[in-house]
Amino acid sequence: IVEPVAGIALLSFVFSAFMRGPALGVSFPIYYATGMLPFTTYMVLSNKVAACLLFSKPLLAYPRVTYIDAILARFLTNLLTEVMVIYLIFTGLLLIYHDHTTVNLPMIALAVALAGVLGLGVGILNCFLITRFPVWQQAWSILMRPMFLLSCIFFLFETAPEQFRDWLWFNSLVHIVGLMRRGFYPVYDASYVSVGYVLGFSGICAVVGLLFLRKYHRDILER
C-alpha cells in the first residue's frame, strides 16, 4: 500500500505546483491513481510470474508440483493482493477528496482484470526468457523504464501528438489506463480503447511462453 500511495502523493505534489488542475476532474491524487494503480498491478504481476520458477524451484522437485502450479500460485496470490490494494487506496481517496467522479464498478473491474491478464501473459513469456537467458532480466528492466512515461499516466492519450499517438496505441497499458479512467470519469469516452487488442497481445505472450516452458522447463530446473 505504501509504495503506490507514496508515488501518487509525489506526482500530485509536483504537478499541482505547476498546473491548476488535472486533465480530468479536480483531484490530482484520484487522477494519477487511475493511471498509476493499473500500471503497478501489471508490473507486480509480470515480475512475480516471471520469477516464479526461480522462487518455487525447491517445490518443483516434487513430481506432483508442475510449473503451471507455480505460475498460477504466484499469479493468484499477487492478483488478490493488488486488488485489495486498489480497493483500499481508491476507497480512501474517494472519502478524502470529493471529486466529480462516478464510480463504474464493472468498467474498473474490467481494467483491473485486463491488467492482470497482461501481467500474466508477459510474465509467462519472461518466465522462460529470464530462466533460459539470465541476461534478459537486466535487458527487460532497461526496456521497461520508459514505460512509466509512455503509458498515459501523466497525460491523456488524446493530447499526445498525432504521429506519436499512432505508436502509443500499441502499448497495451494505454488501453488499460484509459479504461480505468473511463470507470471514474463518465465524461471521458476513451474511444481508442480496444479490449480485444489487450487480450490478443496477452494471449500470444502466454501461449508462446507456455510452449517454450513445456519444452524446456526440465532443462531449466536442472540447472
Side-chain angles (χ1 to χ4, degrees), residues 49-67:
V49 172
C52 69
L53 291 189
L54 299 176
F55 182 82
S56 304
K57 197 170 184 179
L59 288 175
L60 292 170
Y62 293 95
R64 289 187 176 273
V65 182
T66 68
Y67 64 93

Side-chain angles (χ1 to χ4, degrees), residues 177-218:
V177 170
L179 201 62
M180 178 66 83
R181 285 184 171 148
R182 188 195 290 176
F184 280 87
Y185 303 100
V187 297
Y188 186 55
D189 184 42
S191 58
Y192 60 89
V193 170
S194 173
V195 174
Y197 171 73
V198 179
L199 291 175
F201 179 80
S202 306
I204 290 171
C205 291
V207 169
V208 172
L210 287 173
L211 288 174
F212 280 112
L213 283 174
R214 182 181 180 183
K215 185 174 182 180
Y216 294 107
H217 73 278
R218 294 189 182 277

